Amino acid sequence: MEKIQVKNKVDTIQYLPFKNIEDISMQTSHPTIHPSIFQDIQSRTHNINYTVPISKVFEKCDAAYEKVKHLQYKQYYDFYNTKASIVFGALSKNGIPIDTKLFEDKYEYKPPSDQIYPEYNFKTATRRPSCLYNGINFLALNKEDGSREVIKPKNDCVIEIDISSYHPTILANLIGYNFGGENIHQHFADLYGVDYKKAKELTFKQLYGGIFKEYKNIEFFKQTQTFIDNLHSQYNQQGYIESPISKWRFEKEILGEIKPQKLFNYLLQEIETSQNIGLMWEIFKTLNGKNSYLFLYVYDAFVFDWDTKEDIEEVVSIFKKRGLVTTIKTGETYNL
């Protein structure tokens, strides 16, 4: 069978799990197509298939096709078209376990069941995904206002695995810097001459806002600045930079002129995302056939509905094999 081209593979494979599907709208600059007429009607009725004539469905599909027919599938889409779409499709299909009463009280919306199914979208500028359900952003739930308490496991507990010092670790691998087995934030605390908490804050600010003058001679940041400068030169000279894991390209034709620090931040977040996709791929394989399952991923954190008769070390070992240091939190709800 020939390739089937769609505008959202993550959604499509929930209903049509074909292997020959290509997502043609990988870039955020491509036109977004929403069947607004159908959505407006659907919000008022439960039998939309009986309400909208089939001729109108074809008309809408033809109009959608006209907007995307000029787009071409590019080879560097492969990672996100195959591995990423499958991972986020599986994560969405797992669903998020909730306490329906608490959920309704908190969000003034009655969910159809005690398992809700959010929509993941990785077609963002940095490829970092969003995770939405009924307007709720599950990647930004407040720890203080009870938002997380609505998430309640079907098994014995919620387990969250956090990757420690994730972005400094990614960057160290890019520039070939060795922390010598030390705790990374303590390493920086000693170099800055400040406490551990302040060191985390300073490092984060410099990775995302630019290196401070007073720390520019620290070897890690000297190498980082050289990497940022070379990255920007490459972007301008060849018209793109390529991420090492996914081979995703940040193209000048699409992004236009961009400041060196911003380009670097885009790459850092894309590497985080592509590495996490690889981690989740292995997690899904490891947990296949088990009661425990991954239900949420929040950048440097992976959240599970866990059966305590099963061994969490099987999952932890996936991170260890990649040289990632993790911490584990456990609780009766997601309010860890």
Side-chain angles (χ1 to χ4, degrees), residues 40-59:
D40 289 343
I41 295 172
Q42 190 177 22
S43 68
R44 303 190 300 270
T45 183
H46 296 291
N47 59 344
I48 189 172
N49 288 334
Y50 294 99
T51 305
V52 180
I54 190 67
S55 61
K56 289 297 180 181
V57 175
F58 280 118
E59 182 182 307

Side-chain angles (χ1 to χ4, degrees), residues 10 26-28 79-80 84 88 91 119-132 137-140 162-163 165-168 170 204 207-208 243 246 248 250 255 262 264-277 280 297-302:
V10 173
M26 283 289 176
Q27 295 285 3
T28 54
F79 179 87
Y80 282 96
F88 286 116
L91 190 55
E119 180 178 347
Y120 283 88
N121 173 34
F122 53 77
K123 295 171 188 176
T124 61
T126 65
R127 317 314 289 175
R128 255 188 169 189
S130 61
C131 175
L132 298 174
N137 181 3
F138 278 91
L139 304 188
D162 292 285
I163 301 174
S165 311
Y166 202 5
H167 284 186
I170 291 171
F204 183 83
L207 289 185
Y208 279 91
S243 184
S246 68
W248 178 262
F250 292 100
L255 295 177
K262 188 174 183 179
F264 166 67
N265 293 156
Y266 276 20
L267 179 65
L268 203 59
Q269 290 184 37
E270 195 288 328
I271 294 173
E272 170 207 274
T273 301
S274 53
Q275 181 158 271
N276 286 345
I277 288 166
M280 286 189 283
Y297 140 70
V298 190
Y299 308 137
D300 60 355
F302 301 75

Side-chain angles (χ1 to χ4, degrees), residues 225-267:
Q225 190 60 60
T226 298
F227 179 83
I228 292 172
D229 293 340
N230 291 341
L231 192 72
H232 196 247
S233 294
Q234 184 183 43
Y235 177 77
N236 286 319
Q237 290 170 13
Q238 71 180 20
Y240 67 88
I241 58 168
E242 186 174 277
S243 184
I245 298 174
S246 68
K247 308 304 179 186
W248 178 262
R249 290 184 179 183
F250 292 100
E251 294 182 314
K252 191 171 184 179
E253 180 183 0
I254 293 170
L255 295 177
E257 295 297 331
I258 186 171
K259 292 182 178 180
Q261 187 70 37
K262 188 174 183 179
L263 181 66
F264 166 67
N265 293 156
Y266 276 20
L267 179 65

Side-chain angles (χ1 to χ4, degrees), residues 191-245:
L191 291 173
Y192 300 145
V194 299
D195 62 33
Y196 186 92
K197 183 178 180 180
K198 184 66 176 178
K200 287 180 69 174
E201 178 188 328
L202 287 172
T203 302
F204 183 83
K205 285 181 176 178
Q206 292 180 90
L207 289 185
Y208 279 91
I211 297 165
F212 300 163
K213 289 182 180 179
E214 58 265 43
Y215 301 127
K216 66 180 182 179
N217 290 321
I218 291 176
E219 186 60 30
F220 178 86
F221 291 116
K222 283 171 63 177
Q223 293 184 35
T224 296
Q225 190 60 60
T226 298
F227 179 83
I228 292 172
D229 293 340
N230 291 341
L231 192 72
H232 196 247
S233 294
Q234 184 183 43
Y235 177 77
N236 286 319
Q237 290 170 13
Q238 71 180 20
Y240 67 88
I241 58 168
E242 186 174 277
S243 184
I245 298 174

